[in-house]
Amino acid sequence: MASLTGSQPSLGEQLRRRKPIVFQHHHHTGEELARELSTFELMMFGVGATIGTGIFFVLGEAVPKAGPAVLVSFLIAGIAAGLSALCYAELASAIPVSGSTYSYAYHAMGELVAVVIAGCVLLEYGVATGAVAVGWSGYFNELLSELFGWQLPEALSVSPIPGTDGEPTGGLINLPAVVLVLLCMLLLIRGASESAKVNAIMVVIKLVVLTIFAVLGFSAFNADHFSNFFGEGFTGVSAAAGTIFFSFIGLDAVATAGEEVKNPQKAVPRAIIGALTIVSGMYLAVAAAGLAAKPVSFFEDSDNAEAGLALILKDITGNEIWSTILAAGAVISIFSVTLVTLYGQTRILFAIGRDGMIPRKFLEVNPKTMTPVFNTVVVSIVVALIGGFVPSDYLWDTVSIGTLMAFSVVAIGIMILRRTHPDLERPFKIPGYPVTPILTVAVCLYIMWGLAAITWIIFLSWIALVLLVYFLYGRHHATLNTYRDPEEIAEPRGRRGDVEEDVDL
């Protein structure tokens, strides 16, 4: 290593160098998170980050693209997420760190790839949280209307920036979206354990509400709604799968909690696989129930996009109470999506700060709450600005491309580390190796192929900005430049005594 010999690496060496896989042997005061989460709480993190995002309001985006074949789109996205989940489970069991995909890339593929992936996951989490907050705002207004007969004015509930249709919005700021992000910030500052308990309660509410919707939706089953099933063609199916895929971001959020869960080598893989099973089953049930009750034209109407599921229940039952319950459930449970994705963003930055790519201020942990307070406040302000001023139509697919890139790199990282570190302890190994990671990359590339050109332009522009920051700051301050003791670059690992009764899946 250049840092151990005192010589400065060339730019080419620096871009290619891989971070050694070394684990800490002692506590790093002020720069280490508390291990307080259980397997069940971590699994609820995964469910909390996903269910709600994809179902409560993305049907209005996906159904117009694929028609009834949106069910196939959900299957494709679910298969890709399932394959990726297995890959995440192996790497998370071997390297249970907050950096998730970024850290895996740094260990397996080198500094340049890690920086690009850092850009992907920061885009993924930051934009996802903003997108969810915007969608939550629609349900909040629907709930106000159901309970009190009035809503916030457009000026305070809509972004001032025109959407993809170019029409003026009449808005000044999406105030509910901003308030939601700031409330999540306050909860995260209090501590990961407190946030996990609140999240678990909200997840239970979410599952109950969506089960009610599925039962009532199928009671109004109309087979005609599934006619001309592939009318939009396979291009539409692929495009819809790309839009839907961002809802599986919760799997990555589970991996970002690797430094705060007890017995991470076992807990993280179990939580990822358990969350995926719950999420996939509920997604398909609710999507099928929605199409059973309403034709594709209902989802194509922009007036129904913000609170479509609540309106479906109102039409089916003719009773305000069911739609009020759904709107209330959405307001409560989508809070959990925002909470977990915001959490994931802060933990990614925590890992990047530990590697010196950004100022170490992002690594500071409050000794009382054991949370990165400065990190959380900065992230929350940026995300609140996104939610308050950017329309949701610009956000959905942008999230998907970051997620797909991250999932692909995890799969490739599996294959590289199997070859470069064959003796690395892996409590969980993916079945069907090497077919499973190869299929993961193939499915992710297929979905990315269906994304719009503007999505690629936004993505590549963002990555260019990330690389600029790296070349101006990160490469000069990287921890690998100056470390003398392997303990300085070591990753945290669960210590003796951090054990629990694990949930058997």
Side-chain angles (χ1 to χ4, degrees):
M1 284 293 171
S3 58
L4 296 178
T5 62
S7 61
Q8 184 69 24
S10 68
L11 176 59
E13 290 173 334
Q14 192 169 10
L15 295 178
R16 294 191 303 271
R17 69 183 175 186
R18 301 174 185 179
K19 185 179 180 182
I21 300 179
V22 183
F23 293 101
Q24 292 177 0
H25 290 88
H26 59 77
H27 180 62
H28 290 206
T29 304
E31 297 182 351
E32 193 168 327
L33 303 168
R35 292 193 181 274
E36 300 178 333
L37 303 181
S38 67
T39 303
F40 176 77
E41 287 174 328
L42 191 57
M43 189 189 306
M44 291 300 97
F45 257 38
V47 177
T50 53
I51 291 183
T53 319
I55 286 298
F56 277 108
F57 41 83
V58 84
L59 282 179
E61 299 279 340
V63 172
K65 295 179 180 179
V70 73
L71 297 179
V72 179
S73 300
F74 270 100
L75 282 173
I76 292 172
I79 290 170
L83 294 170
S84 301
L86 295 173
C87 295
Y88 266 105
E90 175 169 325
L91 286 181
S93 72
I95 314 172
V97 294
S98 290
S100 185
T101 315
Y102 157 76
S103 294
Y104 307 152
Y106 207 169
H107 289 302
M109 304 170 73
E111 193 160 297
L112 176 61
V113 175
V115 170
V116 172
I117 292 305
C120 289
V121 293
L122 291 177
L123 179 71
E124 171 187 345
Y125 281 102
V127 177
T129 311
V132 174
V134 172
W136 181 87
S137 177
Y139 269 98
F140 180 73
N141 255 341
E142 176 72 14
L143 182 61
L144 289 179
S145 177
E146 297 283 354
L147 293 177
F148 308 111
W150 62 272
Q151 297 182 340
L152 289 174
E154 278 197 352
L156 297 179
S157 56
V158 180
S159 162
I161 301 174
T164 53
D165 58 7
E167 295 293 326
T169 65
L172 295 176
I173 184 174
N174 193 327
L175 186 61
V178 174
V179 171
L180 173 64
V181 173
L182 296 181
L183 287 174
C184 290
M185 176 192 75
L186 294 175
L187 185 56
L188 288 174
I189 287 174
R190 283 184 59 85
S193 180
E194 289 82 354
S195 301
K197 289 178 173 62
V198 172
N199 173 71
I201 294 170
M202 292 189 288
V203 167
V204 171
I205 295 173
K206 179 184 305 191
L207 294 176
V208 170
V209 167
L210 289 176
T211 300
I212 291 172
F213 173 82
V215 171
L216 293 177
F218 279 116
S219 71
F221 186 89
N222 186 335
D224 292 340
H225 297 167
F226 296 91
S227 61
N228 193 27
F229 192 80
F230 286 105
E232 301 298 328
F234 284 100
T235 300
V237 170
S238 176
T243 299
I244 292 165
F245 194 79
F246 103 104
S247 60
F248 287 94
I249 192 176
L251 302 175
D252 196 8
V254 171
T256 63
E259 292 182 34
E260 292 168 275
V261 66
K262 305 169 188 175
N263 196 9
Q265 284 81 6
K266 291 183 178 180
V268 177
R270 292 179 178 184
I272 289 173
I273 295 170
L276 174 71
T277 302
I278 296 171
V279 167
S280 300
M282 189 59 75
Y283 273 16
L284 282 171
V286 174
L291 283 168
K294 288 293 182 181
V296 172
S297 58
F298 173 86
F299 300 97
E300 292 174 338
D301 187 341
S302 59
D303 292 336
N304 299 329
E306 286 190 339
L309 299 193
L311 295 178
I312 291 173
L313 285 190
K314 186 188 298 184
D315 291 347
I316 291 173
T317 63
N319 192 323
E320 297 282 347
I321 186 63
W322 293 112
S323 59
T324 302
I325 289 173
L326 186 71
V331 167
I332 294 169
S333 62
I334 294 175
F335 190 113
S336 71
V337 182
T338 312
L339 178 68
V340 179
T341 51
L342 191 65
Y343 167 89
Q345 175 82 300
T346 62
R347 271 42 180 186
I348 294 288
L349 283 172
F350 183 85
I352 297 172
R354 180 163 54 213
D355 292 332
M357 300 294 185
I358 57 176
R360 293 187 69 87
K361 188 75 174 174
F362 285 87
L363 185 61
E364 291 182 2
V365 174
N366 183 286
K368 183 177 180 180
T369 64
M370 296 299 290
T371 57
V373 175
F374 173 81
N375 182 338
T376 303
V377 171
V378 171
V379 168
S380 299
I381 291 173
V382 173
V383 170
L385 291 174
I386 293 174
F389 296 99
V390 182
S392 62
D393 11 2
Y394 293 114
L395 300 177
W396 298 113
D397 288 349
T398 308
V399 177
S400 289
I401 195 168
T403 309
L404 289 162
M405 287 291 291
F407 280 23
S408 299
V409 164
V410 168
I412 295 170
I414 286 280
M415 295 183 282
I416 292 175
L417 287 177
R418 284 282 189 103
R419 186 164 43 85
T420 59
H421 292 77
D423 298 327
L424 181 65
E425 182 182 355
R426 296 173 173 86
F428 177 88
K429 290 187 177 183
I430 58 171
Y433 180 86
V435 175
T436 302
I438 292 173
L439 280 178
T440 301
V441 175
V443 174
C444 288
L445 290 176
Y446 169 73
I447 297 175
M448 291 170 70
W449 172 76
L451 296 176
I454 186 63
T455 302
W456 282 97
I457 292 172
I458 294 172
F459 171 71
L460 293 175
S461 299
W462 167 249
I463 294 302
L465 178 61
V466 169
L467 288 173
L468 179 63
V469 172
Y470 167 72
F471 284 115
L472 292 178
Y473 180 91
R475 68 175 294 255
H476 301 292
H477 296 84
T479 306
L480 291 186
N481 290 344
T482 57
Y483 82 97
R484 290 288 183 265
D485 183 344
E487 186 73 17
E488 296 178 45
I489 59 165
E491 306 284 15
R493 108 158 49 220
R495 296 180 298 277
R496 293 183 185 274
D498 289 334
V499 296
E500 63 164 329
E501 292 298 322
D502 285 301
V503 178
D504 289 326
L505 301 179

